[in-house]
Amino acid sequence: MTFEFEIINKFFKKKTSVPLGIGDDAALINKNSKEYWAISQDTLNLNTHFLPNTPAKDLGWKSLAVNISDIYAMGAEPKYALLSIAINNKSSNWVSDFSKGLLACAKKYGVEIIGGDTTRGQTSISISILGSIFKKNILKRSGAKLGDDIWVTGELGTAALGFAYLKKKVRLKKSLAKSSTQKLQKPKPPNIRTKELYKYFNSAIDISDGLVPDLTHLIESSNLGAEVFSKYLPVNAYIKKNKIYDLALYGGDDYELVLTACKKNRNVISNLAKNGKIKISRIGKITLNKKLLVYDLNESPIKKLKKGFTHFS
Ligand code: ADP
Ligand code: MG
């Protein structure tokens, strides 16, 4: 367990009166007899979550997108958000661009900004978000069933590649440099709701810290294990060619979803993917052995898995 989660568990995790409290991508509050409110909050801090030269418009987009991702990870529909922003010596152009990005994201995903707080301080953006969900459709981290297929949306490791490029750790062709920094700076969480897809799945988590740490949260919540095969991971041609699968396993900031579904739904999910309804790949299965086993490209189990992104490390 990382220090971050030790802090949460030791000091903040108390018994609550709500249907679901600390420990999932969002908490749940009863809305009426059939629906919940899913509520969540995510913060982006300068230098921890974004580089100083991040375009303000992208930052505005990302601040909301990372919150929408947590709401989607519950199978819920994002509705309302509150924006708390600390600004230090920023020009009004910067704020204008930030708001344009934020509002473009809000429009695309059908979210209304209904409040917030504006202060002076080291640049930091914190958004609280509310989403709505029918109780029967909820996707909890704890919902995985033994034998479930593990699915992942989109492409993994691309945001980490973009980060490596911005930190001058890799040199990339112009088009790949652009697409990978876009994936890092302007993530687009996959909307499994509109595709009527959520009904096929048992559990979900979004990938903010990396596939390995986030899938570990899911199996720990479900009291089960998992096996994942590197050869099935959806990665771009550059990662595949250079065999840098660590980017896909441990790279944060992808904001894709890991979901699990009964084997009987495999064909219908594969067909939706084939018909271009959603980009989704099957990467492994849920097991009884309560740990995460990742097979490398030679199909040997990786002996010691690394950590993904962790605060305080
Ligand atoms: P995510 O990556 O999905 O945003 P986190 O890893 O940040 O989730 O948090 C894990 C869980 O701990 C979430 O349910 C979150 O609401 C809760 N949590 C995090 N920090 C605190 C805190 N300071 N007080 C109470 N709950 C917290
Ligand atoms: Mg999350």
Side-chain angles (χ1 to χ4, degrees), residues 19-20 24-31 35-41 67-68 70-81 128-134 138-139 193:
L20 183 67
D24 214 308
D25 293 293
L28 298 175
I29 301 170
N30 282 318
K31 183 177 174 188
E35 290 170 289
Y36 292 126
W37 284 116
I39 179 162
S40 181
Q41 181 173 47
N67 279 277
I68 289 168
D70 277 323
I71 295 297
Y72 280 167
M74 305 303 292
E77 185 176 358
K79 294 271 193 200
Y80 305 110
S128 301
I129 189 162
L130 269 120
S132 173
I133 172 90
F134 280 102
I138 193 77
L139 289 175
R193 282 191 57 84

Side-chain angles (χ1 to χ4, degrees), residues 4-5 7-8 12-13 21-27 39-42 66 70 141 205-206 208-209 214 217:
E4 178 186 351
F5 297 104
I7 292 175
I8 297 169
F12 300 114
K13 196 166 181 174
I22 294 171
D24 214 308
D25 293 293
I39 179 162
S40 181
Q41 181 173 47
D42 251 341
V66 301
D70 277 323
R141 291 181 184 180
I205 184 169
D206 69 330
S208 48
D209 297 339
D214 288 321
H217 291 317

Side-chain angles (χ1 to χ4, degrees), residues 105-276:
C105 184
K107 190 171 175 206
K108 176 168 164 66
Y109 289 98
V111 175
E112 287 180 80
I113 309 291
I114 58 163
D117 195 19
T118 307
T119 54
R120 183 181 287 276
Q122 171 90 312
T123 314
S124 173
I125 304 110
S126 188
I127 290 185
S128 301
I129 189 162
L130 269 120
S132 173
I133 172 90
F134 280 102
K135 292 184 177 180
K136 63 179 174 27
N137 295 331
I138 193 77
L139 289 175
K140 295 183 191 171
R141 291 181 184 180
S142 60
K145 305 269 180 301
L146 181 62
D148 270 6
D149 288 329
I150 302 171
W151 296 84
V152 65
T153 61
E155 218 173 71
L156 296 185
T158 316
L161 183 64
F163 186 71
Y165 170 77
L166 291 177
K167 291 297 250 180
K168 300 196 168 26
K169 300 242 167 75
V170 289
R171 293 174 64 143
L172 302 175
K173 278 198 291 189
K174 213 171 166 192
S175 61
L176 182 58
K178 192 171 173 209
S179 60
S180 53
T181 46
Q182 274 286 288
K183 176 85 166 134
L184 173 73
Q185 294 179 329
K186 200 182 170 190
K188 301 201 171 86
N191 186 352
I192 56 161
R193 282 191 57 84
T194 54
K195 314 284 190 293
E196 293 292 308
L197 256 173
Y198 56 90
K199 59 188 175 214
Y200 301 116
F201 296 103
N202 291 330
S203 69
I205 184 169
D206 69 330
I207 306 179
S208 48
D209 297 339
L211 174 67
V212 164
D214 288 321
L215 180 55
T216 302
H217 291 317
L218 184 142
I219 56 175
E220 282 175 358
S221 297
S222 297
N223 238 333
L224 288 164
E227 10 178 270
V228 164
F229 293 86
S230 295
K231 65 177 178 184
Y232 295 144
L233 295 179
V235 293
N236 66 27
Y238 180 91
I239 293 177
K240 195 174 251 173
K241 185 167 163 238
N242 293 286
K243 297 200 176 120
I244 36 178
Y245 281 74
D246 276 12
L247 293 181
L249 291 170
Y250 312 112
D253 271 328
D254 278 316
Y255 294 100
E256 296 294 343
L257 295 173
V258 187
L259 305 119
T260 77
C262 293
K263 219 170 152 181
K264 70 172 167 44
N265 294 334
R266 188 182 292 179
N267 284 344
V268 44
I269 297 169
S270 301
N271 285 336
L272 285 166
K274 268 186 214 138
N275 297 338

